């Protein structure tokens, strides 16, 4: 086919064989058909070149070149030199483009003053899932760069060819070549910037990303490049001013007096071009003063190592006092934007940011989703594995049931009341999880386990709902308090559990925090397996282990338990006979993390 196409996509390739097929297919599937894909193989040692050449043989819109390895910067510049189309799009060899990406970006660029560069919202997939929402209009995008932020994703761009030709990638910024490119775009006023407000580019996250292999070098390069960017706006800042301003931009402890000086300097330099900067800067500064553990005094000596708690829910709040015994806790991190800017026990709740994690010695994960959060910390934010700590379940409890292993009569009575109500309703059920472990191994409840666990059958959901409504009333009468009944559903299917299925019921006392919550796990079984779900994982047990029931008699009361309790507990916990005060959900043997 002729090279006279409207759009050419530039794809550098180096050892991307595992994902290259999917990346190319996402371009072939574009709804806009007038394009050409230019692939330059940078001396790959895997199957990348062979895959690309096979695509070239069957798709005439694909062109492939190969040479010895010269690195990404050289490859990007050679792709620009090779291209001839008036519009150039970028695409990484392991990412994906949504089918409407080129069509929507092409439509958007037609409405803009030229030359222009158009990005879009970006979704992360692979080791980390999230959606990055970038600002839409030119002035807002540029202003964001003055807060040290990346205002759009280079690999998602569709731009006039002169944008790439006029801003070649610089070898001195090998590990931040994309950030350098974007800072130069922002600094050149005649390039119109725009982000389509839809998720059109899918950015694959790897557990061994090269980004995190050169973290310290990238950090140094970035600080230097940001300083140069500010100087292009006529700002000459001292090293100290740059340091404290960047700490402020990334919500880290800083000197506010220094930051206010820098904000005024920036506002004076760019205020006429970016009238919204000062208002946003003041908003950010007000929030920072109210939420950050910062001071205008230079810290001299840290008596304790510093830590953050990832998770501002009940688990994080309950673990705070335990962690503070050994760490200086600076605050909480949470993915819920509604919590950002608020305080818990005098500590701020902030969004996760790479710079924030650099200033602490440990990050404690206080969430059932600890695997997912661990992945987010390691892959997205580059936190070293040794910093990430899981919190034992015993440290996330509201209270222990009783002191010195002697359990209060109230909690035993609640357990017995549940058993009686379920039995009277004719339900098939048994004691489960930590409650079963305590009763069977210790003839008592585990001191640090703050809930009571039951297993119920999905075949009796209607009967169970009636029984739980009656139990809710009986608990209110006996405990003289209000109990809330929560109904929880699965986000995805697992084994016998359909997607969107009812996964559990939870009874919680709203008036008395020292009383246990009560979980009723709904088991979905066939002849081989009995499956159920927590919020973050699916759990599978051999169905035969709970098909027959027995009883555990303690102080004259009979508790229903699986007849093959030894095998049941071994399948679930492994070595269940040895008490483990550091136990958490990650210790379970038979789970699949979602």
């Amino acid at each position: 086919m002729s090279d006279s196409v409207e759009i050419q996509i530039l794809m550098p390739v180096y050892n991307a064989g595992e994902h290259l097929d999917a990346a190319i297919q996402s371009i072939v599937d574009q709804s806009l058909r007038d394009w050409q894909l230019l692939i330059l193989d940078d001396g790959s040692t895997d199957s990348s070149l062979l895959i690309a050449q096979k695509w070239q043989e069957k798709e005439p819109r694909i062109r492939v070149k190969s040479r010895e390895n010269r690195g990404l910067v050289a490859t990007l510049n050679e792709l620009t030199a090779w291209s001839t189309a008036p519009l150039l799009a970028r695409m990484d060899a392991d990412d994906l483009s949504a089918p409407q990406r080129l069509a929507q970006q092409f439509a958007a660029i037609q409405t803009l003053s030229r030359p222009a560069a158009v990005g879009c919202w970006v979704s992360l997939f692979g080791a980390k899932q999230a959606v990055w929402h970038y600002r839409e209009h030119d002035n807002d995008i540029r202003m964001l760069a003055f807060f040290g932020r990346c205002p759009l994703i280079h690999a998602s761009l569709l731009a006039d060819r002169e944008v790439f030709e006029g801003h070649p990638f610089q070898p001195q910024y090998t590990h931040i070549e994309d950030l350098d490119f974007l800072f130069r775009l922002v600094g050149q006023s005649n390039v119109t910037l725009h982000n389509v407000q839809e998720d059109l580019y899918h950015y694959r996250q790897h557990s061994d990303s090269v980004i995190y292999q050169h973290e310290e070098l990238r950090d140094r390069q970035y600080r230097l490049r940001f300083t140069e960017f500010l100087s292009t706006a006529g700002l000459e800042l001292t090293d100290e001013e740059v340091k404290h301003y960047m700490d402020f931009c990334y919500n880290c402890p800083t000197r506010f007096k220094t930051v206010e000086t820098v904000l005024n300097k920036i506002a004076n330099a760019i205020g006429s071009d970016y009238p919204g900067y000062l208002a946003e800067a003041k908003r950010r500064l007000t929030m920072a003063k109210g939420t950050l553990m910062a001071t205008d005094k230079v810290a001299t000596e840290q008596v304790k190592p510093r830590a953050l708690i990832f998770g501002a829910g009940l688990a994080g709040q309950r673990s705070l006092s335990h962690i503070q015994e050994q760490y200086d806790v600076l605050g909480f991190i949470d993915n819920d934007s509604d919590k950002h800017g608020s305080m818990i026990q005098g500590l701020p709740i902030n969004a996760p940011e790479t710079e924030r994690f650099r200033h602490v010695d440990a990050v404690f994960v206080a969430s059932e989703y600890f695997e997912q959060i661990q992945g987010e910390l390691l892959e997205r934010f580059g936190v070293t594995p040794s910093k990430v700590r899981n919190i034992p379940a015993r440290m996330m409890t509201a209270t222990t049931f009783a002191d010195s292993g002697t359990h209060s009569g109230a909690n035993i009575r609640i357990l017995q009341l549940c058993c009686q109500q379920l039995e009277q309703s004719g339900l098939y059920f048994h004691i489960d999880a930590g409650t079963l472990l305590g009763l069977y191994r210790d003839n008592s409840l585990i001191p640090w386990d703050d809930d009571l666990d039951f297993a119920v059958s999905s075949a009796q959901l209607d009967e169970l709902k009636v029984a739980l409504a009656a139990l809710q009333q009986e608990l209110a009468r006996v405990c003289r308090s209000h109990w809330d009944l929560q109904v929880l559903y699965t986000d995805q299917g697992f084994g016998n559990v359909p997607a969107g299925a009812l996964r559990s019921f939870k009874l919680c006392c709203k008036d008395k925090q020292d009383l246990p919550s009560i979980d009723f796990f709904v088991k979905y079984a066939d002849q081989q397996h009995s499956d159920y779900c927590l919020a973050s994982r699916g759990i599978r047990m051999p169905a035969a282990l709970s098909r027959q029931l027995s009883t555990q008699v303690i102080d004259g009361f009979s508790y229903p338990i699986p007849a093959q309790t030894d095998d049941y507990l071994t399948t679930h916990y492994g070595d269940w006979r040895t008490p483990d005060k550091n136990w958490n959900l990650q210790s379970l043997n038979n789970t699949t993390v979602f």
Side-chain angles (χ1 to χ4, degrees):
M1 67 175 290
S2 169
D3 284 346
S4 59
V5 294
E6 189 72 22
I7 298 173
Q8 286 177 319
I9 304 102
L10 313 182
M11 180 183 286
V13 174
Y14 179 71
N15 288 350
E18 183 179 358
H19 305 296
L20 184 56
D21 255 326
I24 296 175
Q25 185 68 59
S26 75
I27 296 299
V28 173
D29 291 340
Q30 291 295 301
S31 60
L32 187 150
R33 310 303 296 171
D34 184 20
W35 54 261
Q36 189 177 70
L37 174 60
L38 305 182
I39 298 175
L40 178 53
D41 181 78
D42 186 28
S44 295
T45 58
D46 67 353
S47 59
S48 295
L49 179 58
L50 179 61
I51 293 170
Q53 289 172 336
K54 286 184 177 179
W55 273 102
Q56 180 178 232
E57 291 173 1
K58 63 182 180 181
E59 172 53 73
R61 292 175 295 178
I62 295 176
R63 302 291 176 87
V64 178
K65 287 185 178 181
S66 177
R67 49 141 173 82
E68 76 283 356
N69 180 259
R70 297 178 190 168
L72 180 58
V73 168
T75 304
L76 289 170
N77 289 334
E78 288 178 43
L79 279 165
T80 301
W82 179 15
S83 67
T84 57
L87 291 172
L88 303 180
R90 272 282 289 114
M91 175 75 183
D92 280 345
D94 55 350
D95 294 341
L96 301 172
S97 288
Q100 296 296 321
R101 176 199 163 187
L102 293 180
Q104 293 201 32
Q105 289 182 314
F106 180 73
I109 205 169
Q110 305 306 313
T111 68
L112 302 175
S113 299
R114 312 291 277 274
V118 178
C120 58
W121 289 353
V122 174
S123 65
L124 312 186
F125 71 106
K128 162 68 181 174
Q129 290 81 43
V131 178
W132 291 345
H133 300 88
Y134 292 98
R135 299 188 181 187
E136 182 175 11
H137 300 296
D138 181 85
N139 195 271
D140 291 333
I141 293 170
R142 293 176 185 277
M143 185 176 68
L144 192 63
F146 284 94
F147 290 104
R149 305 294 181 159
C150 179
L152 36 72
I153 290 294
H154 158 244
S156 74
L157 288 183
L158 172 73
D160 289 297
R161 68 172 297 104
E162 65 188 90
V163 173
F164 288 97
E165 286 181 332
H167 302 82
F169 294 91
Q170 305 296 314
Q172 66 267 36
Y173 292 114
T174 296
H175 298 296
I176 60 163
E177 69 285 330
D178 52 345
L179 293 170
D180 167 64
F181 173 80
L182 295 173
F183 275 138
R184 283 184 286 131
L185 283 192
V186 171
Q188 182 172 335
S189 60
N190 71 329
V191 176
T192 304
L193 304 178
H194 183 86
N195 281 310
V196 176
Q197 301 295 281
E198 288 194 36
D199 171 16
L200 300 176
Y201 192 83
H202 308 319
Y203 180 21
R204 188 183 300 274
Q205 299 292 287
H206 298 277
S207 59
D208 57 349
S209 173
V210 69
I211 290 176
Y212 307 121
Q213 296 173 19
H214 304 282
E215 179 183 351
E216 292 186 5
L217 177 58
R218 281 175 55 87
D219 184 58
R220 290 196 302 271
Q221 287 183 329
Y222 182 74
R223 287 180 179 271
L224 175 61
R225 186 62 188 88
F226 185 52
T227 303
E228 293 176 350
F229 167 71
L230 293 176
S231 70
T232 62
L235 287 155
E236 296 300 330
L237 304 179
T238 67
D239 290 343
E240 182 183 29
E241 287 175 329
V242 171
K243 176 188 181 303
H244 289 297
Y245 182 65
M246 290 193 70
D247 286 342
F248 159 72
C249 290
Y250 283 89
N251 303 319
C252 297
T254 189
R255 289 185 176 182
F256 286 127
K257 288 183 180 179
T258 303
V259 170
E260 289 182 81
T261 299
V262 175
L263 292 179
N264 288 326
K265 286 184 177 181
I266 295 177
N268 290 333
I270 69 171
S272 59
D273 293 326
Y274 305 101
Y277 171 81
L278 189 57
E280 176 148 348
K282 288 181 176 179
R283 180 186 65 80
R284 290 173 179 246
L285 185 62
T286 299
M287 179 176 293
K289 285 183 175 180
T291 60
L292 288 179
M293 300 298 291
T295 178
D296 283 333
K297 297 180 181 179
V298 178
T300 57
E301 181 180 358
Q302 294 294 329
V303 177
K304 295 179 180 179
R306 295 174 297 179
L308 291 167
I309 299 175
F310 202 123
L314 285 177
Q317 297 174 43
R318 292 168 177 175
S319 64
L320 175 60
S321 61
H322 297 280
I323 297 172
Q324 284 177 324
E325 293 175 1
Q326 299 183 34
Y327 288 85
D328 178 14
V329 178
L330 301 184
F332 293 89
I333 304 295
D334 204 282
N335 284 323
D336 186 351
S337 60
D338 291 338
K339 297 179 181 178
H340 299 162
S342 58
M343 306 280 283
I344 294 177
Q345 300 182 42
L347 296 176
I349 305 175
N350 289 312
E353 298 283 356
T354 300
E355 283 295 319
R356 192 187 313 282
F357 297 118
R358 299 186 196 279
H359 294 264
V360 297
D361 304 288
V363 182
F364 288 90
V365 180
S367 171
E368 181 180 327
Y369 294 93
F370 54 77
E371 289 94 348
Q372 293 90 333
I373 292 174
Q374 275 184 323
E376 181 179 8
L377 290 170
L378 300 179
E379 310 308 329
R380 179 179 176 186
F381 300 109
V383 179
T384 56
S386 61
K387 280 188 179 182
V388 183
R389 316 287 172 82
N390 287 329
I391 303 176
R394 63 181 174 84
M395 293 173 60
M396 295 188 285
T397 60
T399 63
T400 58
F401 280 162
D403 297 329
S404 304
T406 303
H407 299 284
S408 68
N411 297 304
I412 293 295
R413 176 63 181 135
I414 290 172
L415 179 63
Q416 294 174 352
L417 184 63
C418 293
C419 290
Q420 291 167 343
Q421 190 68 48
L422 296 178
E423 185 175 351
Q424 290 172 9
S425 301
L427 292 170
Y428 183 88
F429 73 98
H430 64 78
I431 307 295
D432 203 14
T435 308
L436 173 63
L437 176 61
L439 293 181
Y440 190 72
R441 184 186 63 198
D442 306 326
N443 272 352
S444 63
L445 299 173
I446 297 174
W448 49 261
D449 192 5
D450 67 344
D451 56 14
L452 302 174
D453 303 310
F454 291 86
V456 294
S457 172
S458 63
Q460 294 183 298
L461 283 180
D462 291 337
E463 297 91 333
L464 178 61
K465 292 175 183 177
V466 175
L468 292 182
L471 175 60
Q472 185 180 15
Q473 295 180 1
E474 188 64 9
L475 286 168
R477 183 187 67 81
V478 172
C479 301
R480 297 181 181 179
S481 59
H482 173 72
W483 287 74
D484 181 38
L485 178 61
Q486 302 173 17
V487 184
L488 306 173
Y489 296 87
T490 60
D491 292 327
Q492 62 187 78
F494 170 76
N496 294 311
V497 186
L502 198 159
R503 63 176 173 85
S504 66
F505 296 89
K506 180 184 283 287
L507 278 166
C508 300
C509 182
K510 293 300 184 182
D511 306 325
K512 299 178 181 178
Q513 296 298 315
D514 58 338
L515 293 181
S517 59
I518 311 167
D519 290 314
F520 301 88
F521 302 121
V522 179
K523 306 294 182 78
Y524 292 77
D526 57 17
Q527 290 299 311
Q528 289 186 304
H529 302 112
S530 176
D531 302 326
Y532 69 105
C533 292
L534 306 178
S536 63
R537 67 204 62 228
I539 300 176
R540 164 159 285 189
M541 300 286 286
L545 296 183
S546 56
R547 193 167 288 137
Q548 301 295 324
L549 299 183
S550 180
T551 57
Q552 177 85 356
V553 180
I554 302 174
D555 295 333
F557 190 91
S558 297
Y559 300 93
I561 64 175
Q564 301 183 53
T565 305
D566 286 72
D567 292 337
Y568 188 93
L569 291 174
T570 299
T571 301
H572 199 44
Y573 292 107
D575 180 15
W576 55 271
R577 292 177 174 83
T578 304
D580 181 6
K581 289 187 176 182
N582 293 318
W583 184 90
N584 55 45
L585 282 175
Q586 196 174 20
S587 307
L588 292 177
N589 281 351
N590 55 329
T591 66
T592 298
V593 178
F594 297 148

